[in-house]
Amino acid sequence: MKTSDAYYTDNWGSTYRILCEFTAGAITYLIVRRFLPGAAADPKPRIQKLASTLSLVLPLIVIAGAVFLGNLPAAQPPATNLSADSEALPPYFHLLLVPFLIAWIGALALSRRGLARTLSTRTMVLGGFISYSLYMTHLVWFGLWRAGMNAVGIDGGALYAIGLLGLIAGALAIAWLMWRFVEEPAREWMRALAGARRTPTEEAGEQLAEQALAGDSAEPIIVNGKEENSN
């Protein structure tokens, strides 16, 4: 898609954006580690309470901010001469919402109840594992699905709704297959080359899910006869 936003296209704009995102993620990780007491799995109770509150408040701030900017006349970008298929430009000042998203991720990492507890269930943890494969494959699958729907002449009605369900189910199935048979084996192989333990990430994820359901810290994972804490 085309866009006239220099932030995305001109003068290495995308590179700056990606570098800032990775840097923000690293800073968030360091802050979270700062509030974890040594090797213990859980932060102090008052930190957990504050994090649980922020994990609910921060996304509401982001949504409210997005709605506000979307309806603020001064924040609307000028009309462009690009084609009708061009990507719509975001409102000005939308990057002001990014710090709240970063803080939200940190709050979820420090929280042990509420929204964080829900996101720690087995189903949600699995969704997190396959999310990168979903990101990498969904556009290809969507293109094939759209071409198939056009080929059979389905562009609306009940059959189209059924097709949408197939689109979603197919995207998730492809993502799971890519994660299970490509991403995880490749990760284990690279970790072995680096001399790190080859324990699949899903094992650690299951420990975290069980921890959230039981309300306790995750038990150490036994790898090659040695104990390694999953956290």
Side-chain angles (χ1 to χ4, degrees), residues 26 45 106 174 180 210:
I174 292 171
R180 180 66 179 82
E210 292 171 358

Side-chain angles (χ1 to χ4, degrees), residues 78-98:
T80 66
N81 295 323
L82 300 177
S83 68
D85 294 330
S86 299
E87 183 179 1
L89 299 181
Y92 293 136
F93 318 120
H94 67 284
L95 294 180
L96 295 176
L97 301 177
V98 174

